[in-house]
């Protein structure tokens, strides 16, 4: 059974800081790893998808890395802004016979607050 | 907007009533998922469809819950005889198959929030 843990549970930083969110998973037989953002009362917005054969993905100020052997992924946010305030979730589907059903196991998320 | 669409966005009902949620996935996506999220927790998997076939159901999905995707397009999630413990956000997601660029990337709707009084 896959278990996903995110550290820290909450983070409060001043605007402009670079920050790192951590995600660890117990079963390294993952198909990919996805980072999401969730605003209060809203659905999930996909930020980055890293295939299992990749080591990192970048989108704008966001960079996500994946180390399957150690069961870890990090999300790096550069030059944080108040608009980045949200809950960040990571999730990974397990491999089944070389493919995946896309059944994600989520961590509890990191609540990020960026204050002006 | 051609993203995943869910309705209603919010449903308030009395214990014992039946409720139904609808999800319209991204049109070319053949995979559809339902998740449930309670306050302060990450989403939990409920069920998964590939086209019209329901391929997996979580043990969280009691016999009061039923999901359908009759023509492989939209899906409905029905909860019969609602209980206060059913109060949660019900999230729908869709994805393409497992191959190709962006393979397996899930796209979520805005969710349907259920409050059972």
């Amino acid at each position: 059974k896959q278990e996903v843990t995110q550290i820290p549970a909450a983070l409060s930083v001043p605007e402009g800081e670079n920050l790192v969110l951590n995600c660890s998973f117990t079963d390294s037989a993952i198909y990919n790893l996805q980072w999401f953002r969730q605003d209060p009362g809203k659905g999930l917005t996909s930020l980055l998808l890293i295939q299992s054969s990749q080591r990192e993905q970048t989108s704008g100020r966001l960079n996500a890395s994946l180390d399957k052997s150690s069961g870890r992924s990090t999300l790096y946010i550069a030059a944080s802004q108040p608009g980045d305030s949200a809950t960040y979730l990571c999730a990974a589907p397990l491999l089944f016979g070389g493919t995946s059903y896309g059944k994600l196991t989520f961590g509890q998320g990191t609540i990020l607050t960026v204050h002006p | 907007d051609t993203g995943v669409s869910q309705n209603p966005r919010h449903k308030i009902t009395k214990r014992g009533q039946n409720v139904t949620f609808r999800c319209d996935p991204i049109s070319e996506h053949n995979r559809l998922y339902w998740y449930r999220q309670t306050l302060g927790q990450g989403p939990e998997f409920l069920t998964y469809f590939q086209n019209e076939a329901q391929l997996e159901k979580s043990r969280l999905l009691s016999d009061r819950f039923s999901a359908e995707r009759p023509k492989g397009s939209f899906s409905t999630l029905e909860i019969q005889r609602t209980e206060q413990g059913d109060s949660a956000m019900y999230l729908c997601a869709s994805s393409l198959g497992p191959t190709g660029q962006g393979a397996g990337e899930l796209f979520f709707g805005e969710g349907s929030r259920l409050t059972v009084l």
Side-chain angles (χ1 to χ4, degrees):
Chain A
K1 178 188 172 185
Q2 179 76 284
E3 293 181 4
V4 178
T5 304
Q6 292 189 244
I7 294 173
L11 184 61
S12 180
V13 300
E15 182 176 5
E17 274 206 6
N18 302 325
L19 53 98
V20 175
L21 308 181
N22 297 292
C23 170
S24 62
F25 45 92
T26 54
D27 191 334
S28 62
I30 60 172
Y31 186 71
N32 57 37
L33 188 136
Q34 202 165 350
W35 281 93
F36 296 89
R37 168 190 172 131
Q38 187 173 32
D39 294 294
K42 302 287 189 179
L44 279 65
T45 300
S46 177
L47 296 174
L48 288 165
L49 173 75
I50 312 175
Q51 299 294 351
S52 62
S53 58
Q54 298 174 319
R55 293 194 64 86
E56 66 178 309
Q57 277 287 351
T58 298
S59 176
R61 295 183 293 108
L62 305 180
N63 175 276
S65 67
L66 175 63
D67 183 344
K68 283 176 51 180
S69 61
S70 66
R72 292 181 183 179
S73 176
T74 60
L75 179 67
Y76 176 83
I77 303 177
S80 58
Q81 302 171 357
D84 295 330
S85 298
T87 298
Y88 290 80
L89 295 149
C90 68
L94 291 176
L95 275 169
F96 290 98
T99 183
S100 168
Y101 295 134
K103 172 185 171 183
L104 300 179
T105 302
F106 283 86
Q108 289 191 317
T110 294
I111 302 171
L112 173 65
T113 303
V114 182
H115 46 89
Chain B
D1 190 312
T2 56
V4 178
S5 175
Q6 292 188 247
N7 64 80
R9 292 291 312 282
H10 196 177
K11 179 72 175 179
I12 301 172
T13 190
K14 293 182 179 178
R15 188 165 49 111
Q17 298 295 305
N18 299 342
V19 296
T20 299
F21 300 116
R22 175 178 168 127
C23 172
D24 288 89
I26 294 172
S27 59
E28 62 267 29
H29 287 183
N30 60 357
R31 294 181 168 193
L32 186 146
Y33 311 83
W34 286 98
Y35 285 79
R36 180 170 69 186
Q37 186 178 28
T38 53
L39 202 62
Q41 303 295 314
E44 295 175 294
F45 171 81
L46 292 179
T47 191
Y48 152 67
F49 290 85
Q50 180 153 320
N51 299 312
E52 66 275 10
Q54 187 174 22
L55 297 185
E56 188 171 352
K57 291 172 60 173
S58 164
R59 279 172 286 183
L60 294 174
L61 217 63
S62 76
D63 56 7
R64 296 185 297 105
F65 288 71
S66 63
E68 294 183 341
R69 194 183 183 197
K71 296 183 179 179
S73 56
F74 72 92
S75 175
T76 58
L77 176 68
E78 180 183 18
I79 309 173
Q80 295 182 327
R81 305 180 303 281
T82 52
E83 302 172 356
Q84 288 184 325
D86 297 332
S87 296
M89 175 80 89
Y90 290 85
L91 295 162
C92 177
S94 69
S95 74
L96 289 168
T99 59
Q101 187 176 4
E105 184 173 9
L106 267 67
F107 295 87
F108 281 81
E110 289 288 351
S112 293
R113 179 167 296 285
L114 174 64
T115 302
V116 182
L117 302 176

